[in-house]
Amino acid sequence: MSSRMTGDGRLPGDPTPREMLARTIRVDHAGEYGARRIYEGQLAVLGRTKYGPVLRHMKAQEQVHLDTFSRLIAERRVRPTALLPFWHVAGFVLGAGTALLGHRAAMACTVAVEEAIDEHYRAQAEALGEDEAPLRETIERFRAEELEHRDIGLEHEAEQAPAYRLLSAAIKAGCKVAIKVSERV
């Protein structure tokens, strides 16, 4: 019985295993960078409230994720996304903007982002073969922490945010676009 390898079953025109790995590392680096900026925006508004400690906890975990993907960018010689300056601003604005609407909206933002990332990380882990088991395990570990963030958001009344469904759908759609663009640009 042979082990499944990254890229097994790919079709003509599909990315090569090397291209797939580069996209994976590039987009995850960009996503973790954006997540850190979202928490920095939220902390700029809510950092001195009772929500500050929980936001700092989640930001610290995102920093570990970012540091890991920054290391992988260098080790694997992957070009980071050219959109980092955009994500720098957009992440902070999203975090601060939702926090200005109140803690519930900030937590709704967290829930929406983490649900989009859960789906993204799950697909990545499924696509990686045994030749990339350490990367897959890292992604699975980070995915579990992202789900912890989602649960924290739900515990802090995310679903009671004004226009929760609309806000959540808009943020999830934005995340999905950011993922697709950051994979390639």
Side-chain angles (χ1 to χ4, degrees), residues 38-56 58 92 95-110 156:
I38 290 169
Y39 286 117
E40 287 172 353
Q42 290 176 344
L43 282 163
V45 176
L46 298 172
R48 294 181 183 218
T49 70
K50 70 179 185 177
Y51 305 101
V54 73
L55 292 170
R56 279 189 283 283
M58 292 186 291
F92 189 88
T98 55
L100 285 168
L101 296 173
H103 84 275
R104 291 177 175 139
M107 294 299 166
C109 174
T110 294
H156 286 88

Side-chain angles (χ1 to χ4, degrees), residues 33-109:
Y33 182 86
R36 186 192 69 191
R37 290 296 290 161
I38 290 169
Y39 286 117
E40 287 172 353
Q42 290 176 344
L43 282 163
V45 176
L46 298 172
R48 294 181 183 218
T49 70
K50 70 179 185 177
Y51 305 101
V54 73
L55 292 170
R56 279 189 283 283
H57 164 73
M58 292 186 291
K59 179 184 172 242
Q61 286 182 315
E62 300 296 356
Q63 185 64 55
V64 170
H65 301 177
L66 176 58
D67 291 345
T68 299
F69 284 110
S70 293
R71 180 181 50 77
L72 287 170
I73 285 266
E75 286 176 1
R76 302 275 188 117
R77 298 178 183 243
V78 172
R79 175 188 51 80
T81 182
L83 297 172
L84 280 182
F86 179 76
W87 301 142
H88 183 81
V89 174
F92 189 88
V93 168
L94 178 60
T98 55
L100 285 168
L101 296 173
H103 84 275
R104 291 177 175 139
M107 294 299 166
C109 174

Side-chain angles (χ1 to χ4, degrees), residues 120-154:
H120 171 69
Y121 274 169
R122 182 180 334 114
Q124 283 185 335
E126 289 171 1
L128 294 171
E130 290 307 311
D131 55 327
E132 290 294 340
L135 177 58
R136 185 180 63 239
E137 291 164 8
T138 297
I139 288 170
E140 287 287 5
R141 186 174 71 252
F142 291 173
R143 179 177 169 229
E145 290 176 0
E146 305 296 4
L147 289 173
E148 174 193 333
H149 299 174
R150 179 205 59 200
D151 293 346
I152 289 169
L154 291 170

